[in-house]
Amino acid sequence: MRSLISFSLRAPIAVFVAGLAAAVHIGKIPPAIAVLGDALGVSLVEAGFLLSAVQLAGMLLGVLVGALADGFGLRRTMLCGLFVLCFASLAGVWARQPSDLLALRALEGLGFLCVVLPAPSLMRQLVPAARLPAFMGLWGAYMPAGVALALLTGPVVMAWWNWEAWWGLLGVVAGCAGLWLAWAVGPDARRAAVARPHTAPPSPAVLVLVRRLRMTLASPGPWVVAVAFGMYSCQWLAVIGFLPSIYMQAGVSGVAAGALTALACAANVVGNLVAGGLMRAGWRTHLLLVIGFGGTALATVVAFSPLAGDGPILRFAAVVAFSAVGGMIPATLFALAVRVAPSEHTVSTTMGWVQQCSACGQFLGPPLVAWVAGLAGGWHFTWAVTGVASVVGIALSLWVRLKQPA
C-alpha cells in the first residue's frame, strides 16, 4: 500500500516539476531586462517582445502540437520539450544581439509548448478521479511558481556572475527535470495498454489528427475556455513581466524588485490551490471565474490608476491581490478544459487550443501595455487594458454557467 501511495504521488509531482522547469524560462526575462539593456542594448519594446516571443510557437502551433501529443505520446512529448528547452537556453549563452535571443526565445516557446500541453492529460491518467480537481489546482500553479522562482534566483545569479550564467543554469535545470520525468513516469505504451487492452486496428495517423482537430474546433467548450484563458494570460504576464522594471524605475534595487515580484507570483500559487480546494468542495466553476476576473479588474484599478493615490504599500497590496485572485482563473480553466474536451482522446488537443489562445494573450499583452505606457508617459493606464480583458472573461463565464452548471 505504501509503495502504491508513493508511486501515485511520485509520478504527478514529476509532471508538475517538469512544468515548473518550463515556467522558469518564462520568468527568466523580467529580472534580466535591465541587465540585457546594458549588455545588449535591448529597448523597452524589444524587452516586451522578449517577454512574449516565447509564446510565438504556442500562438501558431498550439492546437496542432496538442493533437500530435495525443498520438505521439504524452510522456514522450514532454521529454522532447524539456530537451529543446535545455538546448535553447544553453545556446543563449552565446547570444550577442537582441535578435539572437528573440530567435532562441521562439525555440524555447516550442519546448515550453511540448512540456505543458500534454501535462493535464497525463495528470488525468496518473491521478484518481476523486483527487483530480486538487491536482489540477496544483498544476495551475506551475506558471506562477516557476516565474516566482526565476524572479527570486535570477537577480542573485546575475549579481554574482552574469546573465549568461543565468541562461546556462536554467538549461541544466530543464535537463535534470527531463531525467526525473523519465525515471518517475512509466512509458506511454504501458499506460495505453492498461487503459485499452483491446484496441481496434489503428487508423492512418493523418486521419486521426484531422479527426481530433475537427472534433475539438467544432465544439464550443474548448473555444470558450481558450478565449477566457487568453483574457487572463494577457493581463497577468503584462503586469508581472514589467513589475521589476516598474520598481527599478522607482529606485528599488534589482534584487528587491525581484523579491517583491516573486511575492506577487507566490500569491498566484495560493489562488490556484484555493480554487482547486473550492472545486473539490463543490463550488461552481462559473462563480470562481467571476470572482477571479472581477477581482483582477478591481485590483489593477487600485494598483495603477491615479485615482487610488500614491501610496506604495496600497499599490503593492493591490498587485498581490491581483495575482492571488487571478490565480483562481487558471486552476478553474484547466479543470474545465478537461471536462469540455470532446473525448478522452482530445484532451491534449483541447489543451493545445487553450494554450494557443493563452499564447496569443501573452504575446500581445506585454507589448500592448508597453505601448500604452509609452503613449501615456507612465503605467497609470495599465488598468484600462486589463479591465477590458476582465470584462470579456466575465462575459464568457456566463456561457460556463449555462452549459457547465457543475
Side-chain angles (χ1 to χ4, degrees):
M1 182 68 176
R2 184 175 179 179
S3 63
L4 178 62
I5 295 175
S6 175
F7 174 79
S8 67
L9 293 177
R10 183 184 67 191
I13 287 175
V15 173
F16 174 75
V17 170
L20 199 67
V24 293
H25 290 272
I26 303 296
K28 72 182 180 183
I29 289 292
I33 287 177
V35 177
L36 292 174
D38 294 336
L40 302 180
V42 175
S43 68
L44 181 62
V45 174
E46 286 174 333
F49 279 107
L50 277 176
L51 281 170
S52 57
V54 73
Q55 302 299 332
L56 186 62
M59 187 173 65
L60 299 176
L61 304 172
V63 67
L64 180 60
V65 172
L68 291 172
D70 276 320
F72 183 65
L74 306 177
R75 171 182 177 268
R76 191 179 296 120
T77 303
M78 292 186 70
L79 290 175
C80 290
L82 289 167
F83 171 77
V84 170
L85 284 172
C86 177
F87 169 79
S89 194
L90 291 176
V93 172
W94 286 274
R96 291 297 176 265
Q97 299 293 332
S99 58
D100 299 336
L101 282 183
L102 278 171
L104 289 171
R105 286 295 278 173
L107 183 59
E108 287 178 1
L110 179 61
F112 174 81
L113 202 64
C114 291
V115 174
V116 303
L117 291 189
S121 185
L122 189 55
M123 282 278 196
R124 189 184 187 188
Q125 294 180 4
L126 298 172
V127 176
R131 300 181 65 182
L132 189 59
F135 274 88
M136 284 296 102
L138 175 65
W139 173 250
Y142 84 90
M143 177 69 86
V147 172
L149 187 61
L151 291 169
L152 280 174
T153 56
V156 177
V157 173
M158 287 183 286
W160 285 353
W161 293 289
N162 49 38
W163 71 267
E164 291 95 337
W166 177 227
W167 256 245
L169 174 63
L170 294 188
V172 174
V173 167
C176 292
L179 293 176
W180 188 6
L181 184 71
W183 169 76
V185 180
D188 296 302
R190 185 185 306 167
R191 287 192 312 280
V194 172
R196 299 186 300 273
H198 303 290
T199 57
S203 302
V206 174
L207 294 180
V208 174
L209 178 64
V210 171
R211 188 181 306 126
R212 286 175 178 149
L213 290 171
R214 185 172 61 245
M215 288 177 62
T216 301
L217 297 179
S219 302
W223 280 87
V224 171
V225 175
V227 175
F229 219 116
M231 293 301 102
Y232 162 75
S233 64
C234 73
Q235 52 182 310
W236 191 83
L237 186 61
V239 171
I240 298 300
F242 283 117
L243 208 54
S245 298
I246 295 172
Y247 288 141
M248 292 175 70
Q249 288 175 8
V252 179
S253 70
V255 174
L260 290 172
T261 309
L263 178 59
C265 291
N268 192 268
V269 175
V270 174
N272 275 274
L273 297 178
V274 168
L278 291 176
M279 283 187 290
R280 192 176 182 185
W283 281 53
R284 298 190 173 190
T285 52
H286 77 272
L287 179 59
L288 296 176
L289 291 176
V290 169
I291 293 173
F293 281 114
T296 56
L298 179 61
T300 50
V301 170
V302 176
F304 295 102
S305 171
L307 299 176
D310 297 323
I313 296 178
L314 175 61
R315 290 184 181 275
F316 178 69
V319 170
V320 173
F322 161 83
S323 187
V325 179
M328 301 176 71
I329 300 171
T332 305
L333 291 175
F334 277 128
L336 194 58
V338 172
R339 299 212 309 253
V340 301
S343 75
E344 181 183 352
H345 307 300
T346 58
V347 174
S348 290
T349 311
T350 299
M351 288 307 307
W353 186 232
V354 170
Q355 183 64 33
Q356 190 154 347
C357 290
S358 174
C360 288
Q362 293 182 62
F363 184 83
L364 296 174
L368 178 59
V369 167
W371 178 68
V372 171
L375 290 179
W379 303 96
H380 47 276
F381 277 111
T382 299
W383 64 271
V385 179
T386 60
V388 170
S390 293
V391 169
V392 175
I394 292 173
L396 291 171
S397 70
L398 298 178
W399 181 93
V400 176
R401 181 175 182 270
L402 294 174
K403 302 296 183 180
Q404 296 286 328

